[in-house]
Amino acid sequence: MKAHRKKKLSIILFIAVGLSIAIGLSLFALSNNIDLFYTPTQVAAGEVTPGQRIRVGGMVKEGTVEHNQDELEVSFITTDYSHDVQVLYTGILPDLFREGQGIVAEGMLTSAGVFQASRVLAKHDENYMSAEVRSALESAGVDSDGMPSGAY
């Protein structure tokens, strides 16, 4: 092989190896920041391993919100009307957070089956609902207001 071809081949191999390393490091960094969305039914079915960062979405079950008076700790249950997930959160809740509203909580499932939230997002508009939460409610036979389908 001629010298100039060896030089071109070595440059191409160097670029390919460097690009592969850069892509691999980027994908590794992104994989640590991806939070997959799960419904309470999927959590109850065991699709989530304890300690895995996820998002859980559903409706805040009526009568389940409990505030700790000494700290900013809140406990509530989110539901898709088929299964429930107990959520613990320490911090200030969004202004739109209330019972019967749709929420998405980010955090991880503990080994005891309780979801420890690091952030709680409340539904910002009465007409908006994430596609995942809407499909979970529809599969449970419930509309977005928490009423059984066809109850009007």
Side-chain angles (χ1 to χ4, degrees), residues 131-149:
E132 293 91 349
V133 173
R134 185 178 308 279
S135 66
L137 290 175
E138 287 173 359
S139 69
V142 178
D143 66 10
S144 61
D145 296 327
M147 300 294 292
S149 296

Side-chain angles (χ1 to χ4, degrees), residues 37-42 57-61 77-84 100-104 123 126-150 152:
F37 181 87
Y38 290 92
T39 63
T41 299
Q42 291 172 312
M59 307 296 277
V60 178
K61 195 169 186 178
I77 292 177
T78 185
T79 183
D80 60 3
Y81 299 103
S82 293
H83 291 87
D84 300 338
Q101 285 294 118
I103 61 107
V104 174
K123 184 168 81 166
E126 69 180 77
N127 298 321
Y128 173 77
M129 183 175 295
S130 70
E132 293 91 349
V133 173
R134 185 178 308 279
S135 66
L137 290 175
E138 287 173 359
S139 69
V142 178
D143 66 10
S144 61
D145 296 327
M147 300 294 292
S149 296
Y152 298 104

Side-chain angles (χ1 to χ4, degrees), residues 5-141:
R5 287 191 179 173
K6 277 187 179 180
K7 188 175 182 181
K8 282 184 184 180
L9 183 60
S10 64
I11 290 172
I12 290 172
L13 287 175
F14 179 75
I15 290 173
V17 168
L19 197 58
S20 297
I21 291 172
I23 290 172
L25 289 174
S26 298
L27 290 175
F28 177 73
L30 288 174
S31 70
N32 290 336
N33 294 325
I34 294 176
D35 295 335
L36 300 176
F37 181 87
Y38 290 92
T39 63
T41 299
Q42 291 172 312
V43 173
E47 294 182 26
V48 179
T49 58
Q52 176 186 359
R53 286 194 50 80
I54 61 168
R55 290 181 177 187
V56 172
M59 307 296 277
V60 178
K61 195 169 186 178
E62 297 284 337
T64 63
V65 178
E66 297 175 4
H67 296 274
N68 184 337
Q69 299 301 326
D70 299 332
E71 301 174 16
L72 292 176
E73 196 169 83
V74 180
S75 171
F76 60 92
I77 292 177
T78 185
T79 183
D80 60 3
Y81 299 103
S82 293
H83 291 87
D84 300 338
V85 173
Q86 177 75 30
V87 179
L88 295 176
Y89 175 68
T90 302
I92 299 173
L93 289 168
D95 291 337
L96 295 176
F97 178 89
R98 62 182 177 273
E99 294 177 351
Q101 285 294 118
I103 61 107
V104 174
E106 298 177 355
M108 60 185 60
L109 193 65
T110 64
S111 58
V114 176
F115 188 78
Q116 182 66 47
S118 59
R119 186 162 69 159
V120 174
L121 307 169
K123 184 168 81 166
H124 64 77
D125 180 4
E126 69 180 77
N127 298 321
Y128 173 77
M129 183 175 295
S130 70
E132 293 91 349
V133 173
R134 185 178 308 279
S135 66
L137 290 175
E138 287 173 359
S139 69

